[in-house]
Amino acid sequence: MERADFIHLVRLSEHASAEDSQAYRRGVAMFAFVGYAWVIGCVLIAAAALWWLASDWKTGHVNGGRIWLTIAAAGLLWSSLRALWLRLEAPSGIEITADDAPLLFEALAKIRKRIKGPAIDKVILDDAFNASITQIPRFGLFGGARNYLTIGLPLMFALDRSRLLAVLAHEYGHLRGGHGVLGAWIYRTRITWFKLHNAMGASGNFATLLSHGFFRWYFPRFNARTFALARQDEYEADRIAAKLLSKDIMGASLVEIEVKGAWLRTEFWRRHWLQANSSSTPVGPFKEMAKLLTVPPEPTFAAQALQEAMRRLSDIDDTHPVLRDRLHALHQTPQLPAWSSNRAIKLLGPKADHWISELDRQWRKDNRHAWSQHHAYLGRMRERAQTLMASVQRNSADELVELAQLQRRLDPTANVQVFYERALRLSPSHGGALRGLIHTLPSDAVDARLSYLEQLFEASMTHRWWASKEATHTLEIALRANQDVAPALKTWRARLKTSEEAEERAWQEHMGSDFFQSIAAHDLNSYEVSELRDDLQRIPTISRAWLVCKRLREFPQRRCYTCFLELPGMDDQSRYDLCRSLETSLSLPGSVLVLWAGHSPTLQDIQAKAFAPVFVQSARKA
């Protein structure tokens, strides 16, 4: 299905839900049964065909056509039965029991009692900054399901008890009674159809071609028709959590997760991987993470992270609403909360340190190969910095900016201001040098920051949004310090509004157009390619990656990219989360839209139109 058709069906489902929710839900349930009816029909047809063919075989009526039909019917029966009893993998991690963590299980029992939901069959600890409920069917497509609650230890490091319980109440809310039964069943059915679609896609026998064709038609339409229901379910789960703990606690937990999640992505992991500079063997991250997440985020970073989160808009790539919509539905003001001080990790009792050590051990094992690769990459980075330093008196402005960036990546505390200043003497309007120099200035150097930001705004169309954002933030801090900056702040806010509108047009052009329209082979140099490959090498779920330049009408001179990933064995939600995370963390000299190979774009389209892969995951030693 083309992306435009998928978007159209999603919008129709949203309108249908808004006009008559009950009729919409009945329609969703009926369309869900179409998939079941197809599989059951295939079983009956295949069984009937085999029964008829068996009677012919008994009477000796055997020929090439009947042999072919027998093989086809047997293949269809096998593939259909496999669909009916398809096994979904249980979540991985450390299973814990009530004996291990009685305080946690007491809290879960209270949530269950108030929600009147089913029992949690297993509780799993993992290393994600997240919590989730997973339902695994006991008997394939039919029968009840086992409920798995997965809690990420980093989330327990970051939140206090009440805010963590709000998150768990949200997850438990997906299992509630009433309308929740339909929502949970639809959620489980979406995953099942996805797994079946992938399984059939991997099979090349003739008997499954018909079913494969059906599911190629059915699966994206089922996803589109159920989209509004899945998003409603998220809002309802938020409402239930707010009712149990309070709207204030739920709102504060959403904001704290957003800010600390941004800090983990942009600060913690970058610093942690820098330890490969001095150590060739992996260093476990979670013991240190447990300490650092108790420290309140730096105020400037927290304010910027919240502002950026509030600018994001909900889209059709994820059924989860964005922070702005979730806070609005809870009638909560978007503001920084009082940071958690009483960590929820205490719910795990005295065994918490053991589980932290176990996750550290597993992380070191899983990332041994990637760490070794990164250690070598940092060595190459040092060599490049040393080469540029040896010729520093002859370097061009671009080379001086590169040298400054390399030194900052190797040592975030390095003093690189002199390199940016020298680059500006060579090229006074160099956007990269101006932006880098501004980064080196303290936040209270208001006049100097504004002077360079003004130069950057005038010199580079590409950097106007960033310059406006930084200037506005600098002036807002000055205003809170009672400095007379109101006229300048008004000017920069107007510029920011205009720049944001241009950025939104550019992003919509990037996302909304044909993914393969106005593209060219990537323009990265060998060093930039090695940086990108190092980023991708750390993520074992990425099989292959393609990178193309995207030419935008809004910013013709901007370096802008689309990255396509092959992510076998992942569900769509995990793929979505990974792609959104990579959009903010990949080492690229411009903005990037990250997409995975699925129903749009397909792997076949990517292979045909996105040039050669820029990255192929190397084999890992056990």
Side-chain angles (χ1 to χ4, degrees):
M1 176 185 287
E2 295 294 330
R3 183 176 176 83
D5 295 330
F6 182 80
I7 294 173
H8 178 64
L9 283 179
V10 169
R11 300 304 178 221
L12 289 177
S13 77
E14 291 174 336
H15 289 312
S17 176
E19 289 176 1
D20 188 338
S21 178
Q22 294 298 323
Y24 164 71
R25 287 172 175 267
R26 287 194 298 271
V28 166
M30 290 177 63
F31 196 71
F33 278 117
V34 169
Y36 287 84
W38 174 271
V39 176
I40 294 171
C42 286
V43 170
L44 295 176
I45 290 171
L50 287 174
W51 179 82
W52 174 71
L53 288 165
S55 63
D56 274 5
W57 279 68
K58 289 180 180 178
T59 59
H61 293 99
V62 179
N63 56 39
R66 282 179 169 77
I67 292 173
W68 180 88
L69 285 174
T70 300
I71 294 172
L76 181 60
L77 180 63
W78 169 249
S79 64
S80 301
L81 289 174
R82 186 179 59 176
L84 289 176
W85 277 273
L86 182 69
R87 290 286 184 179
L88 301 182
E89 291 185 9
S92 60
I94 302 170
E95 182 182 347
I96 62 174
T97 66
D99 292 336
D100 297 322
L103 292 178
L104 175 63
F105 279 78
E106 287 172 13
L108 292 175
K110 290 178 182 178
I111 294 174
R112 178 194 175 191
K113 182 178 180 180
R114 294 188 64 182
I115 292 179
K116 299 179 181 179
I120 297 292
D121 295 291
K122 291 188 177 183
V123 177
I124 306 293
L125 297 179
D126 72 1
D127 61 2
F129 189 66
N130 193 22
S132 62
I133 285 281
T134 306
Q135 292 193 299
I136 304 295
R138 297 176 188 270
F139 310 108
L141 296 183
F142 301 105
R146 295 177 63 85
N147 299 312
Y148 292 76
L149 172 63
T150 303
I151 309 172
L153 273 181
L155 200 65
M156 302 185 84
F157 300 154
L159 301 180
D160 63 23
R161 175 191 170 99
S162 62
R163 292 178 187 176
L164 176 74
L165 294 182
V167 174
L168 300 185
H170 168 97
E171 296 303 327
Y172 218 138
H174 292 302
L175 304 181
R176 68 198 182 281
H179 284 172
V181 174
L182 175 62
W185 177 65
I186 290 296
Y187 173 76
R188 188 166 68 247
T189 302
R190 283 170 71 120
I191 295 176
T192 303
W193 290 149
F194 170 75
K195 296 282 188 180
L196 178 60
H197 180 254
N198 278 358
M200 287 190 166
S203 175
N205 68 74
F206 174 80
T208 62
L209 292 179
L210 187 62
S211 283
H212 181 50
F214 168 78
F215 279 105
R216 280 178 63 90
W217 172 87
Y218 177 77
F219 180 69
R221 287 164 177 81
F222 178 77
N223 267 353
R225 284 174 180 256
T226 57
F227 185 90
L229 179 63
R231 181 158 287 177
Q232 287 173 5
D233 199 55
E234 294 298 331
Y235 285 121
E236 181 64 13
D238 277 351
R239 188 191 67 78
I240 289 171
K243 184 177 180 180
L244 262 61
L245 277 300
S246 84
K247 291 182 179 180
D248 289 343
I249 290 175
M250 186 63 199
S253 71
L254 291 174
V255 174
E256 186 160 20
I257 288 170
E258 188 69 46
V259 172
K260 290 187 174 179
W263 179 82
L264 284 173
R265 291 191 303 272
T266 61
E267 297 294 328
F268 175 82
W269 286 112
R270 177 178 60 85
R271 295 175 185 177
H272 182 75
W273 280 91
L274 267 179
Q275 294 182 69
N277 197 13
S278 57
S279 173
S280 60
T281 57
V283 177
F286 298 108
K287 186 175 181 179
E288 184 68 12
M289 185 189 294
K291 297 176 183 177
L292 294 177
L293 280 175
T294 63
V295 179
E298 195 272 324
T300 300
F301 175 89
Q304 288 185 327
L306 179 57
Q307 287 175 2
E308 292 183 10
M310 293 301 295
R311 276 195 290 266
R312 289 197 289 268
L313 301 175
S314 298
D315 58 37
I316 63 160
D317 292 318
D318 186 14
T319 57
H320 289 79
V322 294
L323 178 66
R324 178 169 65 177
D325 294 340
R326 296 178 76 175
L327 291 177
H328 177 75
L330 292 170
H331 306 290
Q332 291 293 293
T333 302
Q335 60 186 4
L336 295 175
W339 303 110
S340 295
S341 57
N342 187 20
R343 295 188 304 160
I345 195 71
K346 295 178 181 178
L347 288 169
L348 296 181
K351 290 190 175 181
D353 288 341
H354 166 72
W355 289 319
I356 292 171
S357 297
E358 180 61 23
L359 285 182
D360 271 333
R361 183 196 64 78
Q362 187 62 44
W363 192 92
R364 290 193 297 269
K365 178 182 177 183
D366 293 342
N367 290 275
R368 182 174 55 192
H369 179 74
W371 190 276
S372 176
Q373 293 282 323
H374 192 60
H375 177 73
Y377 162 71
L378 291 176
R380 295 193 299 272
M381 186 184 291
R382 283 195 307 274
E383 291 175 1
R384 174 63 175 165
Q386 290 166 1
T387 299
L388 289 172
M389 194 64 191
S391 60
V392 67
Q393 299 300 328
R394 303 186 303 276
N395 286 350
S396 66
D398 286 342
E399 289 171 331
L400 287 165
V401 169
E402 182 186 354
L403 174 59
Q405 292 172 341
L406 286 171
Q407 292 204 353
R408 267 294 173 94
R409 289 179 185 177
L410 290 166
D411 179 6
T413 65
N415 184 0
V416 296
Q417 186 170 336
V418 63
F419 301 124
Y420 289 126
E421 291 173 341
R422 184 173 295 173
L424 288 172
R425 286 197 292 270
L426 295 174
S427 178
S429 61
H430 194 288
L434 285 167
R435 182 166 174 169
L437 182 58
I438 293 163
H439 271 303
T440 68
L441 298 175
S443 59
D444 59 355
V446 177
D447 292 340
R449 290 176 65 86
L450 290 178
S451 175
Y452 287 120
L453 286 165
E454 182 71 37
Q455 293 179 51
L456 180 60
F457 185 88
E458 294 298 334
S460 174
M461 180 76 71
T462 297
H463 291 91
R464 282 191 169 182
W465 172 77
W466 186 86
S468 300
K469 178 173 71 77
E470 286 295 311
T472 300
H473 184 67
T474 297
L475 289 166
E476 285 173 345
I477 293 174
L479 187 66
R480 288 195 292 270
N482 298 318
Q483 297 185 37
D484 184 17
V485 296
L489 180 57
K490 181 179 179 180
T491 298
W492 278 106
R493 280 176 172 168
R495 288 176 169 180
L496 179 60
K497 183 176 184 296
T498 302
S499 300
E500 284 179 339
E501 291 170 351
E503 291 291 333
E504 181 62 25
R505 288 193 300 270
W507 187 246
Q508 290 301 324
E509 180 186 350
H510 198 166
M511 289 186 59
S513 61
D514 184 327
F515 298 130
F516 304 103
Q517 180 182 349
S518 302
I519 65 171
H522 74 74
D523 59 356
L524 304 187
N525 60 39
S526 59
Y527 175 73
E528 291 168 336
V529 169
S530 69
E531 281 193 304
L532 175 62
R533 288 173 177 168
D534 183 73
D535 288 344
L536 298 174
Q537 183 71 40
R538 300 182 208 168
I539 306 171
T541 50
I542 298 176
S543 174
R544 287 184 290 176
W546 294 257
L547 187 74
V548 298
C549 288
K550 181 77 171 182
R551 294 185 293 271
L552 300 179
R553 294 188 300 275
E554 188 71 32
F555 297 112
Q557 304 304 316
R558 173 176 288 182
R559 296 181 77 178
C560 188
Y561 303 92
T562 302
C563 182
F564 303 100
L565 303 179
E566 184 179 7
L567 301 170
M570 295 178 69
D571 61 81
D572 275 1
Q573 183 59 54
S574 299
R575 286 168 167 162
Y576 176 87
D577 292 340
L578 175 60
C579 289
R580 299 294 78 77
S581 174
L582 289 174
E583 285 174 352
T584 61
S585 63
L586 283 180
S587 299
L588 287 170
S591 61
V592 60
L593 173 65
V594 182
L595 304 167
W596 71 87
H599 62 81
S600 178
T602 66
L603 180 59
Q604 292 75 17
D605 285 339
I606 294 170
Q607 290 174 317
K609 301 175 182 178
F611 310 101
V614 70
F615 169 79
V616 177
Q617 189 72 256
S618 60
R620 291 166 178 260
K621 296 180 181 180

